[in-house]
Amino acid sequence: MSQPKTKKDTQDLHELYRQMLLIRRFEEAAAKSYSMGKIGGFCHLYIGQEAVGVGAIAALEERDYIVSTYRDHGHALARGLEPKSLMAELFGKKTGIAKGNGGSMHFFDKTKNFMGGHGIVGGHISLAAGIAYASKYRQDGAVTLCFFGEGAANIGSFHEGMNLAAIWKLPLVMICENNHYAMGTPEYRALSVKDVSVRAAAYDIARDHIEGDEVRKVRDHVQFAIDRARRGEGPTLMEISTYRFRGHSMSDPAKYRTKEELEKYKQGDPLIKAEKELLQCGWSREELDGLSDSIQSIVDDSLNFAEKSEEPPLGWLHKHVYAENI
Amino acid sequence: MPILTYREALNRAMTEEMEKDPNIFLMGEEVGHYEGAYKVSQGMLAKFGERRVIDTPISENGFAGVGIGAAMVGLRPIIEFMTWNFSLVAIDQIINSAAKMNYMSAGQFPIPIVFRGAGGAGGRLAAQHSQSFESWYAHIPGLKVIAPYTPADAYGLLKTSILDNNPTIFIESEVLYGTKGEVPTGEFYIPMGKADVKREGTQLTIISWSRALMYVLPAAEKLAKEGISVEVVDIRSIRPLDEEAILASVRKTNRALIVEEGWNVAGFGAQLAYLVQKEAFDYLDAPVERVTQEDVPMPYAANLEKASLPSEEKIIQKVREMIK
């Protein structure tokens, strides 16, 4: 019989829980600020899906690349992008991660190999293949992780990207975060085969399919795919089943699904699961509350920073349309 | 001075740049083993190997995206579209990713990429393989758009495009690939945004580019024999545009005719006409005019194809009307 786990055994879970909690609190603050009119445009929240981004990104090395979707807040925070500059970006301030040019859907941080949130559903999949292609070209040993939703699995870029990644054996791990709704369209009305990872067979690449409510399980499965990619054994298509607790974006009341369904999924909230396990393994309520408080203060600081930052100067309007030649 | 064909000039430009910079690679359908659908990459696979001259499956959207992704991390891809007609399935990547990445990321991710290949109309290729898309790409901030007419321009501008840190749309004319011209020995680079006066004249300026000059230049010769002196400005670079050269010529001749192979509605010629009337209105002795392709998909029948395109006769007729 295995020994009961201790705090020491769950240090990693504690860290992953911290990251998930940061995303949850950050997103709650973003939702509130959006409702107050401080954030514009579309604002797609990641609440409910935290275990996927946090678990997957935990398996990466610094040299690896991440390509994200329009639902990129969680991925960015999990990669360690600065909450202040992310919130400032949402507020459209000059201190934002993209200096106010990108907004919610377009977080970029070159220093962290965070290769963007991309707003065209599925279009970024071939970009990810290109980044992985460059790693193969240079033999730099890096792996590219690409997130997309199940709605992206029906667009040409997905299939073309998969085929190119397969024929060239690119170091690419494609993670379909299946939250079961492409905007308001449930998967059964859009996917000919419900399990996206099955499509890997058509391209003769590896596949995996897991539930995405346990963050360490996500990490371990993604690690397996990343190791395979790094060994030169080619891409993997993973489907990680998850659920968003909010609508598609802040402007979506999500009337296409039932309260019962939402409640059912909330039982599997990845944060509650992780919290329960931590408490069972010797972490005290006070310790977790203390963690929560420290995270809330990080989020509050980011809000203050975003509020107080200036808007970009009008002189920046034309800046960056073209890169300078050296 | 050596005489090269348009395709040889392009080949020389790519080869020289790839010899210098290992980050540059050529990717596209049939660029390697087949040596290019139009033989522009002849000999390049043998010289550079499969790592740097890469055949792709038929999936323009996919390999355009691959090129852009590779450019995000500092490689310098040359992506060949077998023809620009097929670029339409990749236009999402070109516009939504390549053109905007530097802006969206506030300068973190410049995209040093060249998209190049055969463009233009003709050859009885009919509606889906015979069309000019300069105007489409010229519409997009973040892109540069180049369309050379002579082998020397093709050489010098392609070299500049490869070194440019921005996505460049380099539209070759398939009708021009076999045309010959002098290309000076030794490397040279032609800056973007510099028009070239291909013929001096005093009474009227024809503004044009790429294959349309095949009609414009002989028309100008014939008009000269009638005693009408036409200046021909080859803009070469559509974005950036050499406004000064265009305006200087029109202010000299007082008349402007724009000849383009593409369609007239919302064509780039409309932008040129706007420029001329706005900045040289007081110099004009006649309304700005245009000769373009007819407003129809390209027909297959030889006589109808000819009728749909600009021609020497149409240009001569239009110039005579303007000089009257």
Side-chain angles (χ1 to χ4, degrees):
Chain A
M1 224 175 106
S2 62
Q3 294 289 314
K5 287 187 175 153
T6 64
K7 275 174 85 168
K8 206 177 154 197
D9 299 324
T10 50
Q11 278 295 349
D12 60 339
L13 180 61
H14 185 267
E15 167 56 19
L16 298 172
Y17 174 70
R18 186 192 68 74
Q19 292 180 27
M20 293 198 293
L21 200 57
L22 174 63
I23 294 170
R24 182 69 59 94
R25 296 283 175 265
F26 182 93
E27 295 266 82
E28 287 164 353
K32 200 172 160 197
S33 298
Y34 188 91
S35 306
M36 292 162 72
K38 292 177 178 174
I39 296 173
F42 295 135
C43 188
H44 310 89
L45 301 179
Y46 199 60
I47 289 176
Q49 302 186 204
E50 294 93 339
V52 183
V54 168
I57 289 168
L60 294 181
E61 296 176 7
E62 267 182 41
R63 60 178 162 166
D64 296 329
Y65 296 94
I66 295 164
V67 186
S68 179
T69 71
Y70 56 86
R71 199 182 298 283
D72 57 355
H73 305 176
H75 303 142
L77 287 164
R79 185 54 165 180
L81 273 65
E82 176 57 49
K84 281 182 182 172
S85 53
L86 299 183
M87 193 65 83
E89 188 61 32
L90 296 181
F91 277 56
K93 299 297 181 70
K94 67 184 283 191
T95 52
I97 195 79
K99 298 191 166 83
N101 275 10
S104 168
M105 297 186 283
H106 308 301
F107 287 168
F108 287 86
D109 190 346
K110 190 171 187 172
T111 66
K112 299 256 195 275
N113 285 354
F114 193 80
M115 310 305 284
H118 297 270
I120 303 297
V121 172
H124 65 302
I125 293 171
S126 54
L127 300 183
I131 295 163
Y133 180 85
S135 288
K136 187 169 182 182
Y137 188 90
R138 289 176 162 148
Q139 300 188 305
D140 63 10
V143 173
T144 297
L145 194 60
C146 179
F147 294 100
F148 58 95
E150 84 283 355
N154 297 321
I155 200 165
S157 179
F158 167 83
H159 296 283
E160 296 191 19
M162 289 254 289
N163 186 54
L164 294 173
I167 60 173
W168 292 333
K169 271 191 177 294
L170 299 181
L172 176 66
V173 176
M174 292 185 281
I175 296 183
C176 174
E177 291 191 68
N178 187 343
N179 64 17
H180 312 297
Y181 292 91
M183 202 171 149
T185 302
E187 62 188 344
Y188 69 83
R189 288 207 281 132
L191 289 164
S192 57
V193 176
K194 204 172 157 188
D195 180 348
V196 170
S197 75
V198 168
R199 295 184 179 187
Y203 299 96
D204 195 23
I205 62 171
R207 68 177 273 263
D208 194 3
H209 181 183
I210 56 169
E211 293 298 313
D213 53 354
E214 288 180 41
V215 66
R216 288 198 292 187
K217 179 174 159 191
V218 171
R219 179 197 60 196
D220 295 346
H221 277 253
V222 174
Q223 187 73 61
F224 189 82
I226 286 171
D227 291 346
R228 173 161 42 208
R230 217 183 300 282
R231 287 194 303 267
E233 293 169 23
T236 299
L237 175 62
M238 298 184 71
E239 171 162 325
I240 304 183
S241 188
T242 185
Y243 200 80
R244 57 170 155 79
F245 296 163
R246 304 291 187 108
H248 169 70
S249 74
M250 279 300 293
S251 56
D252 170 22
K255 287 183 176 162
Y256 41 80
R257 62 187 188 187
T258 62
K259 275 185 186 163
E260 292 72 31
E261 180 182 302
L262 179 59
E263 283 313 311
K264 186 190 94 183
Y265 278 103
K266 280 192 171 172
Q267 300 307 309
D269 185 332
L271 275 90
I272 292 173
K273 280 200 160 182
E275 192 185 59
K276 266 188 192 160
E277 193 174 346
L278 289 169
L279 288 169
Q280 280 164 7
C281 295
W283 297 83
S284 68
R285 185 76 258 168
E286 292 69 34
E287 281 174 312
L288 297 189
D289 287 349
L291 176 68
S292 179
D293 290 347
S294 72
I295 281 168
Q296 192 57 51
S297 78
I298 290 171
V299 170
D300 291 345
D301 285 350
S302 74
L303 281 171
N304 283 333
F305 177 77
E307 286 272 14
K308 286 182 183 149
S309 292
E310 291 171 26
E311 292 186 310
L314 289 177
W316 284 8
L317 180 59
H318 291 269
K319 201 177 171 184
H320 300 308
V321 176
Y322 291 97
E324 284 173 23
N325 292 311
I326 297 153
Chain B
M1 220 183 299
I3 305 285
L4 292 185
T5 62
Y6 193 87
R7 68 161 60 79
E8 286 166 346
L10 294 164
N11 182 297
R12 186 180 136 196
M14 286 193 288
T15 301
E16 285 174 4
E17 294 306 321
M18 282 177 67
E19 280 170 345
K20 284 187 280 188
D21 184 353
N23 288 316
I24 302 170
F25 64 85
L26 173 66
M27 173 180 277
E29 291 154 4
E30 311 286 7
V31 299
H33 293 273
Y34 195 87
E35 302 194 290
Y38 293 90
K39 302 295 173 210
V40 175
S41 54
Q42 195 144 31
M44 289 179 66
L45 176 66
K47 188 169 183 69
F48 295 106
E50 287 187 344
R51 179 170 165 269
R52 297 185 66 199
V53 179
I54 304 124
D55 282 324
T56 68
I58 297 170
S59 50
E60 283 82 3
N61 181 285
F63 68 73
V66 165
I68 297 162
M72 286 181 82
V73 289
L75 296 184
R76 306 185 74 87
I78 303 170
I79 301 294
E80 178 175 308
F81 290 122
M82 190 182 292
T83 91
W84 280 95
N85 300 286
F86 308 156
S87 78
L88 298 194
V89 291
I91 203 167
D92 168 54
Q93 290 294 3
I94 297 169
I95 293 175
N96 274 318
S97 299
K100 298 170 184 170
M101 199 77 76
N102 194 59
Y103 197 80
M104 291 195 297
S105 68
Q108 294 183 72
F109 292 101
I111 305 296
I113 192 168
V114 178
F115 296 102
R116 51 155 290 272
R124 299 188 64 195
L125 295 175
Q128 292 180 333
H129 284 71
S130 183
Q131 44 199 340
S132 303
F133 287 119
E134 292 91 306
S135 301
W136 286 41
Y137 291 105
H139 188 60
I140 308 302
L143 298 180
K144 297 190 173 183
V145 182
I146 307 294
Y149 174 59
T150 66
D153 287 352
Y155 167 84
L157 280 163
L158 182 54
K159 283 172 76 77
T160 302
S161 300
I162 292 169
L163 296 194
D164 198 281
N165 283 332
N166 294 283
T168 301
I169 305 298
F170 195 94
I171 301 183
E172 299 149 13
S173 163
E174 66 180 39
V175 176
L176 295 176
Y177 280 133
T179 58
K180 291 178 179 171
E182 290 182 344
V183 181
T185 44
E187 280 190 84
F188 63 93
Y189 295 82
I190 295 173
M192 295 180 182
K194 288 285 171 209
D196 185 43
V197 177
K198 290 280 194 276
R199 186 183 197 286
E200 302 260 359
T202 57
Q203 286 177 280
L204 181 141
T205 298
I206 295 182
I207 308 158
S208 191
W209 65 92
S210 191
R211 187 250 187 138
L213 287 157
M214 276 181 91
Y215 310 115
V216 169
L217 289 166
E221 289 303 319
K222 287 182 183 167
L223 286 161
K225 286 176 188 144
E226 293 180 22
I228 299 174
S229 172
V230 172
E231 180 146 303
V232 177
V233 177
D234 175 6
I235 59 174
R236 302 191 292 195
S237 167
I238 293 165
R239 212 188 231 271
L241 180 67
D242 190 348
E243 298 187 357
E244 285 313 307
I246 293 165
L247 295 173
S249 179
V250 174
R251 285 171 185 149
K252 183 175 88 173
T253 65
N254 310 113
R255 290 177 180 83
L257 168 65
I258 298 144
V259 181
E260 67 181 303
E261 197 179 56
W263 292 299
N264 57 347
V265 177
F268 191 69
Q271 176 70 18
L272 293 170
Y274 165 76
L275 170 75
V276 170
Q277 71 80 26
K278 182 162 187 298
E279 301 293 337
F281 186 78
D282 292 341
Y283 294 84
L284 290 175
D285 289 341
V288 180
E289 280 285 2
R290 296 169 68 197
V291 172
T292 68
Q293 193 196 138
E294 291 296 311
D295 198 19
V296 295
M298 186 61 74
Y300 168 72
N303 63 329
L304 295 182
E305 182 192 71
K306 189 164 182 290
S308 84
L309 285 167
S311 65
E312 276 179 46
E313 297 75 35
K314 287 180 189 175
I315 293 162
I316 289 168
Q317 181 59 31
K318 187 64 79 180
V319 170
R320 284 182 189 147
E321 287 169 19
M322 290 175 71
I323 292 289
K324 252 195 278 189

